[in-house]
Amino acid sequence: MKAVCWYGANDLRVVDVDEPKILNPRDAIIRVGLSSVCGSDLHLIDGYIPTMQRGDIIGHEFMGEVVEVGSQVYNVRVGDRVVVPSIVACGGCFYCHQEQYSLCDNTNPNAAMLEAAFGYSTAGIYGYSHLFGGYAGSHAEYIRIPFADVGAFVIPDGVTDEQALFCSDAFPTGFFAADNCDIQPGDIVAVWGAGAVGLFAMVSAYMLGAERVIAIDRFPERLNMAREFANADTINYEEQDDVVEILKQMTGGRGPDACIDAVGMEAHAGGLPGMYDKVKQTMRLETDRPHVLRQAIQACRKGGTFSIVGVYAGLLDKLPMGAAFNKGLKFKMGQMHGQKYTGELLNRVARGEVDPSRLITHRMSLDDAPKGYDLYKHKYEDCLRVVFAP
């Protein structure tokens, strides 16, 4: 079968690989219908996530049709259309019982790697390096789904493949980001990053009761989407001298009740701060660029909540922890718990509350994946999301 494979930093190739097989009675095999790019993939492509190996299949946001099931799979059947969260969870460990599926104890066969880096291992993730299990990704014609009864959600009738696709990763990540904020009626939520995850975080904040959402980005087309798709007020940070001061002005001097980082480790910044982080990251004196973290800590109101879903991988520098401590900020962060949210979000889509397919700007075949990632990475042609149809 064809698959999109990583062969080194900025080197993606479409090659022929072996089709997956049932390895465990709780496995299922699905024929991939649609698979999407994700901002997290860029960290792999740019070489910032260690333990990638030549030939690894990437991709973790997908839906498709079940074509084979193991003898202990009972919730899905051959022929079902399903969407699968990017997180691999067993459903039976302490963390899964707490609905903290991305912290699953049992789905990372390379747990020792993460234990060495983080102290404890977390769950496996499709197509996201050997640190997170070495699972084959979704940019392929077929993919194996471990613990299929926990991870495969049947798509309701009336929901199209394109509408269901983002209930795999971007929508639940955005909903998780907003859910972390403990939003109260009347709250104002600021979201850094108007990519797909940021846009879904904005929509989700309103679903959970926010009165106002403010989007911060630098691309006019994305800020326009934030206004049209998510009903957000917007700030173009390249046109403002001081985003923190603008947010104060927009919130009556108090600051946002909650801030969401939907950008992560490759945050862009101009001037001396941006140069400082670029140099340190290039020299491997820090692995991540924490500009958004610094800005959001300064901007968030006293006693507010800071929700972080943009991916960070390692070490960073010059965080204003004094501000976070003395302002009494609450931090919540992590990989999303997809199995907690995907079913609910599919139902919201079925009820017509939101149409996720509006975020698709480019549709391509799997053969064009390297071109699609180039468009996505460099924001050419107003690219927001590329979807591949194997």
Side-chain angles (χ1 to χ4, degrees):
M1 69 173 184
K2 291 181 180 178
V4 181
C5 297
W6 185 94
Y7 276 83
N10 298 303
D11 185 0
L12 293 182
R13 305 178 192 178
V14 181
V15 300
D16 288 324
V17 300
D18 292 336
E19 292 185 6
K21 301 182 184 302
I22 296 285
L23 301 180
N24 183 286
R26 297 182 66 184
D27 288 351
I29 305 294
I30 75 165
R31 179 187 297 113
V32 178
L34 296 173
S35 184
S36 175
V37 301
C38 177
S40 300
D41 295 333
L42 299 183
H43 309 322
L44 303 176
I45 293 167
D46 291 340
Y48 292 122
I49 304 294
T51 71
M52 290 293 292
Q53 297 180 9
R54 288 169 60 87
D56 283 346
I57 303 172
I58 68 168
H60 59 261
E61 183 154 35
F62 61 103
M63 59 72 57
E65 179 185 345
V66 177
V67 294
E68 186 178 358
V69 296
S71 61
Q72 294 179 26
V73 174
Y74 307 106
N75 293 343
V76 295
R77 297 177 296 179
V78 171
D80 282 344
R81 276 192 318 145
V82 296
V83 64
V84 181
S86 56
I87 300 296
V88 185
C90 75
C93 70
F94 169 84
Y95 293 101
C96 288
H97 282 301
Q98 302 297 314
E99 296 189 309
Q100 296 176 319
Y101 295 99
S102 68
L103 307 180
C104 178
D105 268 336
N106 295 324
T107 57
N108 188 346
N110 299 327
M113 291 185 184
L114 273 189
E115 288 170 0
F118 299 158
Y120 296 89
S121 177
T122 58
I125 304 175
Y126 294 105
Y128 209 71
S129 85
H130 292 264
L131 270 178
F132 295 94
Y135 289 97
S138 62
H139 293 335
E141 294 180 79
Y142 297 89
I143 185 171
R144 180 177 73 93
I145 310 301
F147 303 100
D149 275 346
V150 180
F153 291 78
V154 177
I155 299 169
D157 292 339
V159 175
T160 68
D161 291 355
E162 290 189 346
Q163 288 175 322
L165 173 61
F166 294 131
C167 293
S168 167
D169 185 79
F171 198 176
T173 301
F175 198 90
F176 171 62
D179 196 25
N180 279 345
C181 293
D182 189 26
I183 294 170
Q184 304 299 309
D187 276 1
I188 300 173
V189 179
V191 181
W192 275 257
V197 169
L199 291 166
F200 283 124
M202 298 171 207
V203 169
S204 300
Y206 279 124
M207 289 178 173
L208 294 173
E211 181 175 301
R212 186 182 183 194
V213 173
I214 303 170
I216 300 102
D217 205 300
R218 66 188 173 112
F219 294 101
E221 65 276 5
R222 295 191 172 205
L223 291 168
N224 186 56
M225 180 64 81
R227 290 187 290 268
E228 293 185 356
F229 178 74
N231 193 33
D233 295 326
T234 58
I235 298 174
N236 186 327
Y237 66 80
E238 288 192 330
E239 297 176 355
Q240 304 291 342
D241 293 331
D242 190 341
V243 169
V244 174
E245 182 59 33
I246 295 298
L247 284 168
K248 286 183 179 179
Q249 294 174 13
M250 296 176 73
T251 57
R254 189 177 68 183
D257 298 285
C259 294
I260 293 173
D261 173 1
V263 179
M265 63 183 289
E266 294 186 74
H268 171 271
L272 185 59
M275 185 181 302
Y276 172 87
D277 283 330
K278 279 273 193 180
V279 170
K280 292 206 72 172
Q281 190 180 52
T282 300
M283 297 177 67
R284 294 299 189 260
L285 297 176
E286 65 176 358
T287 58
D288 306 351
R289 301 198 296 265
H291 180 71
V292 168
L293 297 179
R294 299 186 192 116
Q295 200 168 71
I297 287 171
Q298 294 285 350
C300 195
R301 73 158 170 85
K302 293 178 288 186
T305 300
F306 187 15
S307 173
I308 305 167
V309 293
V311 170
Y312 291 89
L315 305 174
L316 39 77
D317 195 9
K318 297 294 188 293
L319 279 185
M321 289 307 296
F325 173 79
N326 286 288
K327 289 168 67 178
L329 300 186
K330 298 179 287 290
F331 281 62
K332 298 190 75 173
M333 65 191 81
Q335 300 282 359
M336 60 89 182
H337 308 306
Q339 287 80 350
K340 178 178 179 179
Y341 299 114
T342 293
E344 175 186 350
L345 298 179
L346 283 169
N347 289 333
R348 286 181 180 268
V349 173
R351 293 195 297 266
E353 295 181 28
V354 61
D355 181 3
S357 66
R358 289 179 58 188
L359 302 193
I360 300 172
T361 54
H362 293 73
R363 297 164 175 82
M364 296 183 177
S365 71
L366 209 57
D367 290 322
D368 292 326
K371 175 185 176 182
Y373 268 104
D374 188 59
L375 288 174
Y376 181 61
K377 177 177 177 178
H378 298 288
K379 314 296 190 294
Y380 296 144
E381 300 178 8
D382 295 345
C383 181
L384 180 60
R385 273 297 172 113
V386 183
V387 169
F388 305 121

